[in-house]
PDB file of all heavy atoms in Angstrom:
ATOM      1  N   GLU A 745     140.133  93.753  98.272  1.00  0.00           N
ATOM      2  CA  GLU A 745     139.946  93.298  99.587  1.00  0.00           C
ATOM      3  C   GLU A 745     141.167  93.825 100.480  1.00  0.00           C
ATOM      4  O   GLU A 745     140.927  94.295 101.543  1.00  0.00           O
ATOM      5  CB  GLU A 745     139.929  91.821  99.659  1.00  0.00           C
ATOM      6  CG  GLU A 745     139.095  91.294 100.800  1.00  0.00           C
ATOM      7  CD  GLU A 745     138.907  89.822 100.812  1.00  0.00           C
ATOM      8  OE1 GLU A 745     138.534  89.336  99.753  1.00  0.00           O
ATOM      9  OE2 GLU A 745     139.264  89.223 101.803  1.00  0.00           O
ATOM     10  N   PHE A 746     142.320  93.722  99.950  1.00  0.00           N
ATOM     11  CA  PHE A 746     143.524  94.186 100.700  1.00  0.00           C
ATOM     12  C   PHE A 746     143.458  95.675 100.871  1.00  0.00           C
ATOM     13  O   PHE A 746     143.711  96.162 101.975  1.00  0.00           O
ATOM     14  CB  PHE A 746     144.791  93.752 100.029  1.00  0.00           C
ATOM     15  CG  PHE A 746     146.014  94.421 100.588  1.00  0.00           C
ATOM     16  CD1 PHE A 746     146.495  93.870 101.812  1.00  0.00           C
ATOM     17  CD2 PHE A 746     146.646  95.458  99.967  1.00  0.00           C
ATOM     18  CE1 PHE A 746     147.615  94.501 102.410  1.00  0.00           C
ATOM     19  CE2 PHE A 746     147.754  96.034 100.577  1.00  0.00           C
ATOM     20  CZ  PHE A 746     148.237  95.542 101.745  1.00  0.00           C
ATOM     21  N   ILE A 747     143.052  96.363  99.818  1.00  0.00           N
ATOM     22  CA  ILE A 747     143.061  97.844  99.897  1.00  0.00           C
ATOM     23  C   ILE A 747     142.075  98.331 100.980  1.00  0.00           C
ATOM     24  O   ILE A 747     142.399  99.144 101.886  1.00  0.00           O
ATOM     25  CB  ILE A 747     142.694  98.527  98.546  1.00  0.00           C
ATOM     26  CG1 ILE A 747     143.902  98.218  97.570  1.00  0.00           C
ATOM     27  CG2 ILE A 747     142.503 100.009  98.776  1.00  0.00           C
ATOM     28  CD1 ILE A 747     143.596  98.774  96.267  1.00  0.00           C
ATOM     29  N   LEU A 748     140.875  97.677 100.974  1.00  0.00           N
ATOM     30  CA  LEU A 748     139.847  98.135 101.908  1.00  0.00           C
ATOM     31  C   LEU A 748     140.132  97.706 103.316  1.00  0.00           C
ATOM     32  O   LEU A 748     140.012  98.463 104.345  1.00  0.00           O
ATOM     33  CB  LEU A 748     138.448  97.567 101.527  1.00  0.00           C
ATOM     34  CG  LEU A 748     137.891  98.217 100.326  1.00  0.00           C
ATOM     35  CD1 LEU A 748     136.648  97.466  99.828  1.00  0.00           C
ATOM     36  CD2 LEU A 748     137.457  99.696 100.601  1.00  0.00           C
ATOM     37  N   ALA A 749     140.717  96.468 103.461  1.00  0.00           N
ATOM     38  CA  ALA A 749     141.208  96.001 104.836  1.00  0.00           C
ATOM     39  C   ALA A 749     142.229  96.901 105.304  1.00  0.00           C
ATOM     40  O   ALA A 749     142.205  97.311 106.500  1.00  0.00           O
ATOM     41  CB  ALA A 749     141.546  94.577 104.749  1.00  0.00           C
ATOM     42  N   GLY A 750     143.125  97.215 104.421  1.00  0.00           N
ATOM     43  CA  GLY A 750     144.288  98.102 104.845  1.00  0.00           C
ATOM     44  C   GLY A 750     143.805  99.450 105.202  1.00  0.00           C
ATOM     45  O   GLY A 750     144.253 100.002 106.260  1.00  0.00           O
ATOM     46  N   GLU A 751     142.775  99.917 104.495  1.00  0.00           N
ATOM     47  CA  GLU A 751     142.314 101.252 104.823  1.00  0.00           C
ATOM     48  C   GLU A 751     141.645 101.322 106.212  1.00  0.00           C
ATOM     49  O   GLU A 751     141.827 102.142 106.947  1.00  0.00           O
ATOM     50  CB  GLU A 751     141.285 101.662 103.735  1.00  0.00           C
ATOM     51  CG  GLU A 751     140.820 103.100 103.860  1.00  0.00           C
ATOM     52  CD  GLU A 751     139.350 103.294 103.658  1.00  0.00           C
ATOM     53  OE1 GLU A 751     138.702 102.513 102.943  1.00  0.00           O
ATOM     54  OE2 GLU A 751     138.831 104.284 104.244  1.00  0.00           O
ATOM     55  N   GLU A 752     140.881 100.131 106.457  1.00  0.00           N
ATOM     56  CA  GLU A 752     140.189 100.028 107.716  1.00  0.00           C
ATOM     57  C   GLU A 752     141.296 100.052 108.852  1.00  0.00           C
ATOM     58  O   GLU A 752     141.170 100.709 109.883  1.00  0.00           O
ATOM     59  CB  GLU A 752     139.338  98.784 107.769  1.00  0.00           C
ATOM     60  CG  GLU A 752     138.650  98.635 109.056  1.00  0.00           C
ATOM     61  CD  GLU A 752     137.584  97.470 108.982  1.00  0.00           C
ATOM     62  OE1 GLU A 752     136.758  97.507 108.122  1.00  0.00           O
ATOM     63  OE2 GLU A 752     137.797  96.524 109.776  1.00  0.00           O
ATOM     64  N   TYR A 753     142.311  99.140 108.647  1.00  0.00           N
ATOM     65  CA  TYR A 753     143.316  98.969 109.655  1.00  0.00           C
ATOM     66  C   TYR A 753     144.008 100.309 109.899  1.00  0.00           C
ATOM     67  O   TYR A 753     144.112 100.775 111.100  1.00  0.00           O
ATOM     68  CB  TYR A 753     144.390  97.977 109.189  1.00  0.00           C
ATOM     69  CG  TYR A 753     145.661  97.968 109.942  1.00  0.00           C
ATOM     70  CD1 TYR A 753     145.695  97.418 111.239  1.00  0.00           C
ATOM     71  CD2 TYR A 753     146.777  98.549 109.493  1.00  0.00           C
ATOM     72  CE1 TYR A 753     146.817  97.448 111.989  1.00  0.00           C
ATOM     73  CE2 TYR A 753     147.956  98.643 110.184  1.00  0.00           C
ATOM     74  CZ  TYR A 753     148.004  98.050 111.396  1.00  0.00           C
ATOM     75  OH  TYR A 753     149.099  98.093 112.181  1.00  0.00           O
ATOM     76  N   LEU A 754     144.350 101.075 108.907  1.00  0.00           N
ATOM     77  CA  LEU A 754     145.000 102.369 109.085  1.00  0.00           C
ATOM     78  C   LEU A 754     144.077 103.326 109.783  1.00  0.00           C
ATOM     79  O   LEU A 754     144.484 104.165 110.556  1.00  0.00           O
ATOM     80  CB  LEU A 754     145.523 102.851 107.779  1.00  0.00           C
ATOM     81  CG  LEU A 754     146.733 102.106 107.266  1.00  0.00           C
ATOM     82  CD1 LEU A 754     147.118 102.582 105.792  1.00  0.00           C
ATOM     83  CD2 LEU A 754     147.945 102.319 108.210  1.00  0.00           C
ATOM     84  N   ALA A 755     142.818 103.337 109.366  1.00  0.00           N
ATOM     85  CA  ALA A 755     141.877 104.213 109.970  1.00  0.00           C
ATOM     86  C   ALA A 755     141.831 104.033 111.443  1.00  0.00           C
ATOM     87  O   ALA A 755     141.736 104.962 112.303  1.00  0.00           O
ATOM     88  CB  ALA A 755     140.492 104.114 109.331  1.00  0.00           C
ATOM     89  N   ILE A 756     141.818 102.742 111.858  1.00  0.00           N
ATOM     90  CA  ILE A 756     141.829 102.414 113.299  1.00  0.00           C
ATOM     91  C   ILE A 756     143.069 102.905 113.869  1.00  0.00           C
ATOM     92  O   ILE A 756     143.014 103.597 115.027  1.00  0.00           O
ATOM     93  CB  ILE A 756     141.659 100.906 113.443  1.00  0.00           C
ATOM     94  CG1 ILE A 756     140.268 100.458 112.905  1.00  0.00           C
ATOM     95  CG2 ILE A 756     141.757 100.526 114.946  1.00  0.00           C
ATOM     96  CD1 ILE A 756     140.125  98.963 112.960  1.00  0.00           C
ATOM     97  N   GLN A 757     144.207 102.702 113.324  1.00  0.00           N
ATOM     98  CA  GLN A 757     145.515 103.191 113.809  1.00  0.00           C
ATOM     99  C   GLN A 757     145.479 104.686 114.048  1.00  0.00           C
ATOM    100  O   GLN A 757     145.873 105.171 115.087  1.00  0.00           O
ATOM    101  CB  GLN A 757     146.639 102.800 112.852  1.00  0.00           C
ATOM    102  CG  GLN A 757     146.886 101.270 112.736  1.00  0.00           C
ATOM    103  CD  GLN A 757     147.013 100.603 114.112  1.00  0.00           C
ATOM    104  OE1 GLN A 757     147.762 101.010 114.923  1.00  0.00           O
ATOM    105  NE2 GLN A 757     146.186  99.604 114.309  1.00  0.00           N
ATOM    106  N   VAL A 758     144.957 105.439 113.029  1.00  0.00           N
ATOM    107  CA  VAL A 758     144.947 106.853 113.068  1.00  0.00           C
ATOM    108  C   VAL A 758     143.949 107.237 114.210  1.00  0.00           C
ATOM    109  O   VAL A 758     144.286 108.199 115.012  1.00  0.00           O
ATOM    110  CB  VAL A 758     144.529 107.473 111.783  1.00  0.00           C
ATOM    111  CG1 VAL A 758     144.287 108.992 111.966  1.00  0.00           C
ATOM    112  CG2 VAL A 758     145.596 107.240 110.742  1.00  0.00           C
TER     113      VAL A 758
END
Side-chain angles (χ1 to χ4, degrees):
Chain A
E745 208 176 309
F746 171 73
I747 293 176
L748 286 170
E751 192 223 331
E752 182 175 299
Y753 165 75
L754 287 172
I756 295 171
Q757 294 309 306
V758 171

